[in-house]
Each structure stands twice: as C-alpha cells, then as structure tokens.
Amino acid sequence: MGNAESPTVAHIGTQQLGTDGSEMTTQVNPKTSVSFTLNGDAVFVENASPYLSLNDWLRSQPGLSGTKKMCGEGGCGCCVVSVKRLDPGALEESAISIISCLCPLYSVEGWTITTVEGIGSSRSGFHPIQVRVAERNGSQCGYCTPGFVMNMYSLLDQNPKPTKQEIEDNFDGNICRCTGYRPILEAMKTFAVDNDIAWIDIEDLSTTCPRTGKPCRGLCKAHVRGPTDPLWYRPSTLADVLTIIQNNPGSKVKLLVGDTGKGVFKVMSPADYFDIFIDLKGISDLYQTQLTGSSLTVGAAVTLASLIQILQENQQVSTNFQYIAKHLLKVANVPVRNVGSWAGNLMLTHDHNDFPSDVFTVLAAAGATLTIANASGSNTYTLLDFLKVDMTQSVIVSMELPFASAGIIFRSFKVMPRNQNARAYVNAAFSMQVDPNSIVQGTPVLVFGGIQAHAVLAVNTANLLQQQNLLDPKTLKSAMAALDQDIVPDAPLVAASVQYRKSLALSLFYKYYLACIVDHVSPRVVTAANPYVRPISSGTQSYSTVPSNYPITQPIPKLASKLQASGEAQYTTDIPPYPDELAAAFVLTTQGNATITGINVDLASKMPGFMMVLTVADIPQGGQNNFLPAVGLHPEPVFATTFSEYAGHAVALVLADTQEYANAIAQSITVNYQNVKKPILTIQEAITAESFFPSPGPPIVMGNAKDAIAGSAHIITGDISCGAQYHFYMETQTSLCIPEEDGYTVHSSTQWTDLTQSAVATVLGIPVSSVDVTVKRVGGAYGGKITRSPQIAAACALGAYATKRPVRMHMDIDTNMQMIGKREPYYATFTIGCTDSGVINGIEMTVYNDAGCYGNDSTVQAALNAIDNAYFVQNWLVTPVTCKTNTASNTACRSPGTLPGIFIMESLVDYVAKSLNLNVEQVKLANLYQQGQVTPYNIPLNYCSIRDIWDQLYKSAEVDARKQYISQFNEINRWRKRGISVVPLKFGLGWSGAPYTVLVSIYATDGTVAVTHGGVEVGQGINTKVAQVAAKTLGISIDMIKIKPSNSLTNPNGMTTGGSISSELACLGVLNACTELKHRITPIQQVMGNPTWVELIQKCYSVGIDLSSKQFTYQTTDFEFAYFSYGATCAEVELDVLTGETQVIRVDILYDCGESINPDIDVGQVEGAFVMGMGYWMTERFIYDPDSGQLLTHNSWEYKPPSSQDIPIDWRVELLKNAPNPIGILRSKASGEPPQCMSCSVLFAAKRAVESARAEIQGPQVFSLDGPATTDVIQQYCMVDPSQFFF
C-alpha cells in the first residue's frame, strides 16, 4: 500500500479513564457528536463509537451500500468517497477523494461528503462518469466500480480540465481484478482536456441529489459508544493537546490527522486499543506554511498531497523540491495522500521497525529538521535524532526544509514490487554538492531505506567522496567498495533477499553517480541516469459482428453496468441488515502441523458485543462437520477439532453484535497446541518428506518416450516451477443465513448454489429441501467461491441455528487470505529428446502440484490435459504427483491447472531453443500442431487453426521488425534491455457432466420476460449474453427481459459456474426454452396475422398457452473436450537491469472466440484474464513463516496484484474475424479463461531481456525463469555486479 500515516502514541501505563471524562482537568471536552453534510442532507450523529469508520456508518444507513468495503487498509480503493472540507487557515474548500474505511466518523466534522449514490442513479439520472464507465465496458463484477467513479468525480471537482496523464495517475489506489483496467482508463480519459473527443464542461457533470427525506440523526445500536471506548477530542490549540496528554497519565493516546496509519498497523485486538483520540485537524498552527529566504516551514497537519502541491508550486525556489515532490507522489495513493499527514508518516517509522518510510528518506537527505513540542517547551531535531526522541508526551509541530545550496544535486529512488501503491524494496535519496569541475564539495548525504529497521546513512561512502573528482573512474570504484561495507541489510521474512537489497542499494547509488556527471556519461549507460517515464497507455480492439443476427454478436455493455457504476447493484454483503442480526468471524489457528489441546475464550467473553463462541461440539445431532458433501469429494471440516493442519485453520466461530466486534473477539481467542512439528510448506519439502496424496490418476502415455529420447540427437533435462495465487476477489467471502419457519434462507457470494445448499443441510442435519440458496451477483470469484464458499455459509447457518437469529459473515481480507486456499503451485522435472533443429521427439516429465492440506480441488489432471499446449510430440510419459502440505486447501483459480500446465510446456520449448542456441519462435513454429494430429490425451484436432493464427499474429504484430529494433536497442543500452516473446495457445473446453437448468417466463400483462438460469453472474457477463439470446430467439427488444437471481429452487442439482462454459450452456438452455415458447405461440401468431408482442402474449394467455419453459441442459461429447480455442500473443517488455523493474511496452493478442455472442464482453474477458495472469507471473508472491506456517503476505500491504500502470502501454486485442465455431453454441467460443494462459508471454519477454543483460558479461543463456518473476528475482537473474559499473 506504500507509506501511510500514523498517530503519535502515548504509552504511559494502563490506567483506564471513565467515559464521563471525570479525571480530565483540561477545559477541552470530549466530542460525543459529529455534524456533516451527506449528499446534500445535513447529518447529526450522537454517541457513536470513536472506532466507527465513515465507511461502516455509511453502509449501515439505508440506501448507502454503494460505497464498498474490502481490505480496510487503503489498498483497494473500493471505499472511496468525495469530500469537500475547509482546513484551518485555508481560504476555500478543497475537493478530495478519501478512503472511507480508514476515516473515523468523528473526524468528518463540518465536511461535505458525497457518495456514489449522491451523484446519479437510475431514478434521478446517471452521472456522465457512471454512464461512460458502463458504456465503455469498464465494469465487470462491478464491486470496484463505485470507487473508480468517485475517485474520478473528486478529480473533476478539484481539476475540471485534467490531462490524460493526470487521469491515469489518479487511479494509483484503485484495484480492479476483472477488467485489466484498460476500459476503465479509456472511459475516464474521455473527460481529459487533451482527449480527441469533445470535452464536457464540469458544470454539465452536476446532477440533482437523488436522496430525499429527513436528515439522518439516528445511529444503529451496534455502533453506539461502548463503556470501554476511547474518548475523542478535537482541540483548537497545541496547548490544549499537550494539556490533555499531561492530564491523563496512564492513558494510551492516539494523535491523528487522517488516521490512515491503521491501514498498515491495524486495530486487530485489545492490545491495539486506545484510551484517547486527539484529532489535530482543528489546530490552525499545525497547518501553517512559511517560505523564508532560506527554507520552507510546513506545519505537521499538512497532508502529503498539500505538501506535494507546495513543493511543486515553489520548485523554482530550490532545485530539490521537484524531486522530493516526485518521490512523495509514489507514497501510498491519491486518497491516502489527500488526508494522511507527512508528520504522521514519520511517526509510523518512529514507532515501527518494519516501516520503510519514503517521507523519512527524502526529507532526511534534504536536511529537514523537526520542531517537536511537549509540556516543557519545544526543540529542534534532525530526522535521525528524531528516531531517538521519546514521543509519548510530545507532538511534532513543524518541519523546516532548507533550500538546496548552489551545486547541490538531489535525486531519490523507490523500487517497488509493482509500479504504484506499494512499499519499497529499497528507497534512497542522495544530496551532494558538486562544483563545475565535478569535484565533490563538503560531505554528501546518502540515505537508504529498506536496509535496516530504520533508514541508514552511508557514512563511510559519504566521507570518502569528499573532494573527490567524480570523473575519475577510481572514485566510482572506491565509492562502490565503501558502499558495499556501509550497506548491511537485515533479513525480515517478508523482505526481499539480502542479496537483492544490497545489490539494489549499490545500483541506485550508481544511478545517482551517473546523474551527477550526466554530460560526461557514455550513451550506452545514460539511460541509467535518467528515470523511465511511462507513456500514457492506449489500446485497440478489433472484431467482426453479424448485424443480421443482432442482438446476438452485438457489442453491448453489461445490462447491469450502470447500476454497478451507481452503486445500486446489490451484492450479498449489501443486503440490508435484519432485525437482531448477528455477525460471525472465524477463529483461526496460528500454528500448522500441531495437535490442538483447547482454546481460551476468557478475554473474548468480556469484550464488547460478545454473544457466543461455537465449535464442532455445537453442531446439532445428526449434523456433520463437513462442508463438502458432494459426490466425489472427501469430507472437509468446517472446524478443526484435534489437529491444526495449517496456520489459518478455522477452529471456532465467534458471534457478536457487529462484524468489527466479531473480528476483534476472534483475534483475542488463543489456541493451545502440543506435538508441534515443523510444517511442510512447499512442494520441495513435500517431496523430501514424501508427503503425497494417493495417485491423482494414471500418467499420460503416448508412444514410447524413453526410446524416443534415447535415440535423439540431443537430450535435455531441467525443471520449472510456478507459485500460488490469491484470487483477490473484491467482495471477500460473504454469507447471510436467515432462519425461516421451514428451514433456512441463505444468501451467499458463491459460484455453486447446489454445493452451498448441501453443505448447510449436511452441517445442520436437515433435509436439503429445507435450505434455499440465492445469489444475485458475486463481486469477483475466479474459482475461489466454488468449494470454499460453502464453509462460510455452513458456519453462518450453524450460528443461525444456535441463536435462532440471522447471522452474516463478511470476511476481512486477513482471515480470507489465511484461511482460504489459493491457486495450486506446480513444479515439473523433465527430460526431452529433440533433433538438431529443435523438433521434439519425446518428453518424460513428472508434474507435482501442491493441493494444500486436503486434495479435493487438485487440478493436476487439468494440467496434464493442457501439458502439450499447442505442440505436437509423438512420444509422451507424464506422471502426476499431488503433494500434501500444511497450507490451506488449495482450490480452483481462473484457468485451474491449465495456466501452469501451459507455462510448463512453454518453458520446455524455450529451454530446448536456448540449449541448442536456436531462435525460440522458430522452434515453436517447428513443433506447432497441424490439422488432424492427435493430442497425448487422444483427442483428434479436426478443427485446428493454430498455425494460421500464429502466422497472422506474427505478421500483424510485426515481430521480425520489432526483433531487429530490439536487437539494436539492446546493443546501444547497457542498463536497459528489451525482450519480445510470442506464445501460442490451444485450450480445451469440455461440457460433459455440467447440468444447468433454465426457466423462462413470459408475463401476460405486459409481455415482459423473466429468466433465471443455473449460472451465477460473477462479472463474466453471463446475464447479458443470456438476455441477448432470449431477445433474438423471441424476437423482442432486450429491454423487455430481466434476469433474475440464481437460486437452488429453479436450478436444483446444478453445476458450479466455472470452467468458462457456464455462459455457453446457460445460453443453450435459454435458446432451447425460448425456441419451445416460440413453437407454442407461433400458431396463435399465424392466426392473428401481425399482432404486437403484447397482443400476441395476451391472446396466448387467454387460450391457455403455457408461457413458461423450463429446460435442463446436460451435454455429452465424444471426447473430454467439445472443442479447442486457439490464440497467440506477442509481448514486449523493457527491463531496468539495475533494479529489475519492468514495463510492458506492447502486447498483441489474437484470440479465436468463434462468433462472439457479445464482443464487448469477450474482449473484456480477454483483457481481464491477461492482466490477472500478468500478476501471477510478475508481481504476486506468498511468504510463510517457516516455523509456524503462518502466511505473512495476507493483506493488500504485502500482496500485490497488478495496478493500472502495470498493464501494457500499447495493447492491441483482436478476436479472430469470421471464424464461427462449427461445434459451438451459437457458433461461439469461451473467453473467460483461455487468454490468461498466454499471459506468460510477458514473463518470457522479460526473460529475453535478462538474457541480453547476461550476454553483456558472457553469462549463461540456458536457465529456467520460474514464476513469479518478481522485480527482485529478475534483477538477481541479471547477475548485476558493481565491478560492471562504468561511465
């Protein structure tokens, strides 16, 4: 999440204050109410808990669930709202976006707040931002969309004429897992002043507030101040602050401005609670800024965004101001910087050893000093001295930033896991005075963060550089030697390796050294001195349609996209609370591979909001501790009983008044263990321990691989691996269970209503018919809500059974990531026999997958059925092995098995080419399938277009010409390298064994149509495609059709939504149902002549025609796959060799989607799948504690899916034109998963760049690049060494 803001914390004992403030002697009274304006209404809230966030309050109010909640850390952006406020001393209000889940309700005093409901709706009219996002296909699952909309709304309110660059930069805090960002950015850039289309005046963006009625003055019972809640003060003077602190010895005090620091260091348990909050936003002295003849003074409450603006406006005053401002733009994200103060950020690194503050690093290098006050007076400190100051009764008042002296060269650096909104691997800032002869004057200041617990100075290097001539190569050599001694990295588990961080620190100084003498630097290395500036991204989309068949093949937006953009689309977590509803949270183990001896709930039972704790003992008689009762699955427990398989295993369920209380109580419960053994956490550890599940199936055998290999001209051996991936659905696991007179109604964010229904019935020991499961839409799933969501629903049902009250759970991200399984890691060893030209004769391979602690969702068979990808090999022997580890039971994740399977094969072909020193693309072409050949799993390829697609993509992407350019680029650049890669695709789609039911109903009153089908809308556009098919088949407007929620009543015994087949099969069911209805009504139509649709339907009704049709689809095919989709992708990457940072310069995708039912939706699926795959290969990693097995990367602070500036800069997507699928449903092909499997082209393009870097030092060219190839991994593969540095 990058750096945020922290309070000053006073630890003066443990004395508890009375809530009436009786021990207070100051004249400042605690706040018990807050007033603000919301969407045009005056709001007055009394007696709220100081822990209550603006987000939680909003979502508790009727009709205000459009502002979403996901991470609670400021790392996702789905909770963004717009604010206007007047800071003390300011002349006018500022319009900003903020993170509502980090904003305490009490801190919004006097603000004007606008939520997504306040700018437009279906009733009052949609806002142009909402319309453009929807119409440009910028909303798929839609859960993140309101956050994007409100971030853009705030930008336009603040800056009515933004540039395209300003717009792209504005979304550094918004995550979208569905779309791949391109359509969102394109929609937003239509508002740019430099856009090609007509610009819209900001006045035209205003809409009337849709909310009417009396102002809200109430407060939900659950959010009322509790007896142990802290007091909240909002003093107006600094003296008042110091008095409050001094008069309350023994109290734990939190000073805050934006309170964004709790996004990094959360309030998770009673140990994190405070006695007093002091809001500093009312103190005008802390907002003062002053420019003197030699320095800039900035008050401590000034936000990071304001500080950046001040520095930018005064950059002509001091040469270092522009560089400091540029660096601060990399801190956190726009909504966090808008409210988080620079002083709060410094307090984070003061109070926490694991916070690499960028603010500290750059200000320390710039020579800033701090004025710190306490009851005794004030003193001035350098930033390094500040780290030693006892701040328990002190307050930062201001910072003095001196102007840079003549000749000062200031630069700063931040290297991150992704291009935006991430903590630094290493940050650095350097300030050195250099005379015109390149002689160093005085002592340089060289500051590094991310090396030790706090920022460090390279003292020896700085001293050595005094009076040295930078143009003397010996100076560089000596400086690097000294810096090698100065930089001694520590080794936290979640940090990058010691080797990388040391190499990176030296590389950053080398970059700075070159910048200091840039006019004397060789052209081959000058790019190291100049920072890379990412261009504005752009994209093109190309496809064919069949107008005569509209609305089928018509590119139209998702039907619900405007409702999603306005926040009106309802998700499970948005369902209004029921009377007496309780919240639930799981208690997790913290030690894997250990015996559980009991749990301790003593502290929990005394906490506010506590209701009860449920364990396996509370499952009713006749019920089972099993949430996977489906045929073919092994039992998996809702609660661990005597053994903790992994750290994160659910052991109990807390019920409480609110979700926040439930989460806190769950954290307070401890689990006791014995017989603790070291957990098995990786495939390699499982192999060593021989920890395997029973054989997952027979090996793939085709021909005689051993003999073919033995008789080959070349025998090549190697191995390759790829890791896990968290689904990162924006709506975390959520369920609501309501007791009814005849059973239970369950609302679940699930992909599989049938399994959820069975799980609830099994756990409670009741008939399946007593459970009704409904799901309207899901806020992202990607396979993670197939077999995992039933556990959440079953637990809520148990709570509802025990209390006879509705129970809801909305998992926090930490619990979700620790408890729920991910994509399975894979590892393969291989032996290949091939010819001199790289034609593969035979492959012998063992494929290992990590299924976690249970083997239910093993995807290894899917991997084997994709292991050939697009290549024909006559002889195969592939043996699958499923490993058991002490990690969460891994599960399906978009393209389960096929994504790693195809990557393994691509790696093998790549390895062959590099081993033989051949052109990789030529080796691929030599091995591509041809029409009529047979796969190793015995499916003939009767419709194989891979060679034609390869040729078309190769030509349209200008691969040969670009290769030539890249060769020239790499020749003239030592420290920046480019690489290009082409990856083909063959992806099998199978329908067999997937039952779905469809019900189509025509209403006689007005002829409108309702459809419910067996699939679930998870963002893939299934409802829109179904409506298109129904409209075309019935011959009516799509506006007359409504798609109803999926449910277990109309879709009994249905299959999960997944495997990219649900849209096709739902469309088939609707086609059949509507065809049957047409067959019934056509005779009446013929008799009537030319009636209107309504007249026809009313006549049919009057003569007793059944106007509903239920269809059950259960397709069977001769082979496992009904058909194959084909594609090819070309990716080009630019690499900073010194840091490992990459930019995806261009991506060309050609994908065979058949005759697309909706090209807009299918292009969106291609792009979204591809970027999710890019994250898997380039940015997303997991780190576990090797002793406990606890997942350490379990939040948005440590786990980094791609951001909007990680996508391809130039992105060209084409759906293969005029290519109907002869055996597809309506001639179409699936699009949700196959394109993701070509995303490894980005990794291989980066590998080409690494190979070029290695060639500079004659490094080995034959190596495997495992996934994820994160920034640190790539840099280490480049074999960077300071002995190579020159100028």
Side-chain angles (χ1 to χ4, degrees), residues 19 79 118 273 327 432 467 500 733 817 1079 1126 1142 1145 1270:
T19 56
C79 67
Y273 292 171
H327 194 113
M432 184 160 62
Q467 295 301 310
Y500 170 67
Q733 297 280 355
M817 291 192 71
H1079 179 73
Y1126 298 94
T1142 56
I1145 302 299
T1270 52

Side-chain angles (χ1 to χ4, degrees), residues 870-1134:
Y871 305 106
F872 176 70
V873 179
Q874 288 185 313
N875 302 280
W876 291 86
L877 176 57
V878 186
T879 303
V881 179
T882 298
C883 299
K884 178 179 181 180
T885 59
N886 296 115
T887 61
S889 185
N890 286 319
T891 190
C893 184
R894 198 173 198 164
S895 313
T898 53
L899 182 65
I902 287 171
F903 169 70
I904 289 170
M905 187 60 189
E906 287 298 311
S907 297
L908 265 63
V909 178
D910 186 270
Y911 206 82
V912 167
K914 302 310 294 186
S915 297
L916 302 181
N917 196 27
L918 298 173
N919 179 289
V920 176
E921 278 68 43
Q922 290 302 314
V923 171
K924 291 184 177 184
L925 181 60
N927 287 283
L928 283 181
Y929 273 114
Q930 298 185 45
Q931 185 93 351
Q933 290 179 328
V934 179
T935 71
Y937 31 92
N938 295 314
I939 300 179
L941 301 181
N942 297 323
Y943 300 95
C944 179
S945 59
I946 186 58
R947 286 181 173 266
D948 292 337
I949 288 176
W950 174 279
D951 291 343
Q952 182 176 331
L953 183 279
Y954 208 87
K955 181 179 180 180
S956 65
E958 306 167 301
V959 176
D960 286 334
R962 289 164 64 193
K963 278 189 171 184
Q964 184 176 359
Y965 170 80
I966 289 170
S967 178
Q968 295 169 353
F969 179 93
N970 291 343
E971 180 65 28
I972 63 175
N973 287 286
R974 174 63 182 91
W975 299 116
R976 296 200 77 89
K977 300 294 183 182
R978 287 195 178 188
I980 191 169
S981 173
V982 182
V983 168
L985 170 73
K986 175 180 65 62
F987 191 106
L989 280 301
W991 298 329
S992 296
Y996 295 93
T997 301
V998 166
L999 176 64
V1000 178
S1001 302
I1002 306 175
Y1003 297 99
T1005 301
D1006 60 2
T1008 56
V1009 178
V1011 180
T1012 181
H1013 56 80
V1016 175
E1017 178 61 71
V1018 296
Q1020 82 281 43
I1022 187 173
N1023 286 349
T1024 304
K1025 288 185 175 181
V1026 161
Q1028 288 174 274
V1029 173
K1032 174 64 177 178
T1033 308
L1034 294 175
I1036 60 176
S1037 168
I1038 199 171
D1039 296 333
M1040 298 189 69
I1041 298 169
K1042 298 293 184 185
I1043 309 300
K1044 299 299 182 179
S1046 304
N1047 63 84
S1048 56
L1049 176 63
T1050 57
N1051 181 45
N1053 313 308
M1055 179 51 68
T1056 181
T1057 295
S1060 297
I1061 62 172
S1062 305
S1063 292
E1064 291 180 286
L1065 294 180
C1067 286
L1068 175 63
V1070 168
L1071 176 65
N1072 292 341
C1074 291
T1075 300
E1076 181 177 303
L1077 288 168
K1078 284 284 287 185
H1079 179 73
R1080 295 176 192 168
I1081 66 179
T1082 296
I1084 307 299
Q1085 184 179 26
Q1086 292 172 343
V1087 171
M1088 295 179 68
N1090 189 28
T1092 66
W1093 173 257
V1094 175
E1095 290 171 343
L1096 172 61
I1097 295 305
Q1098 290 178 343
K1099 181 64 175 178
C1100 289
Y1101 170 73
S1102 69
V1103 298
I1105 300 295
D1106 183 359
L1107 293 175
S1108 68
S1109 174
K1110 170 184 169 295
Q1111 291 288 321
F1112 177 72
T1113 62
Y1114 187 87
Q1115 297 295 101
T1116 58
T1117 54
D1118 294 336
F1119 302 100
E1120 181 166 357
F1121 297 135
Y1123 65 86
F1124 290 92
S1125 281
Y1126 298 94
T1129 292
C1130 177
E1132 182 180 346
V1133 168
E1134 185 169 325

Side-chain angles (χ1 to χ4, degrees), residues 113-172:
I113 300 169
T114 304
T115 69
V116 71
E117 295 89 353
I119 70 170
S121 71
S122 57
R123 293 188 177 188
S124 65
F126 293 108
H127 192 282
I129 299 174
Q130 296 166 333
V131 171
R132 293 197 184 181
V133 167
E135 291 184 347
R136 283 166 170 76
N137 202 31
S139 183
Q140 289 188 21
C141 88
Y143 198 83
C144 70
T145 309
F148 277 93
V149 167
M150 294 312 298
N151 208 355
M152 187 65 197
Y153 178 85
S154 301
L155 175 64
L156 290 176
D157 201 2
Q158 183 182 52
N159 177 13
K161 297 183 179 181
T163 64
K164 289 189 285 188
Q165 186 66 65
E166 289 171 331
I167 289 172
E168 283 211 351
D169 292 343
N170 190 59
F171 293 100
D172 56 357

Side-chain angles (χ1 to χ4, degrees), residues 501-546:
R501 287 184 291 130
K502 183 162 188 168
S503 176
L504 180 57
L506 270 62
S507 294
L508 295 181
F509 176 74
Y510 172 56
K511 282 173 169 279
Y512 172 67
Y513 192 106
L514 295 178
C516 291
I517 56 170
V518 66
D519 293 337
H520 306 277
V521 167
S522 162
R524 282 208 81 217
V525 300
V526 73
T527 53
N530 300 319
Y532 180 84
V533 178
R534 178 184 165 95
I536 298 169
S537 64
S538 64
T540 60
Q541 306 80 46
S542 177
Y543 45 78
S544 59
T545 66
V546 184

Side-chain angles (χ1 to χ4, degrees), residues 576-618:
Y578 282 73
D580 295 323
E581 179 181 301
L582 294 173
F586 281 110
V587 178
L588 307 183
T589 62
T590 56
Q591 176 67 53
N593 205 6
T595 300
I596 299 170
T597 60
I599 62 173
N600 188 331
V601 300
D602 292 344
L603 178 60
S605 63
K606 300 180 179 66
M607 291 178 64
F610 176 83
M611 175 59 64
M612 65 174 61
V613 176
L614 302 176
T615 67
V616 66
D618 295 291

Side-chain angles (χ1 to χ4, degrees), residues 1138-1155:
L1138 293 169
T1139 65
E1141 296 167 294
T1142 56
Q1143 287 284 351
V1144 183
I1145 302 299
R1146 176 175 162 181
V1147 167
D1148 296 71
I1149 298 175
L1150 177 60
Y1151 178 65
D1152 174 15
C1153 202
E1155 192 171 280

Side-chain angles (χ1 to χ4, degrees), residues 373-401:
N374 55 34
S376 302
S378 62
N379 291 286
T380 300
Y381 301 90
T382 67
L383 266 73
L384 288 174
D385 288 338
F386 154 71
L387 293 176
K388 306 170 188 175
V389 175
D390 181 358
M391 294 296 293
T392 53
Q393 297 195 39
S394 299
V395 181
I396 300 175
V397 177
S398 64
M399 162 188 67
E400 184 177 9
L401 186 61

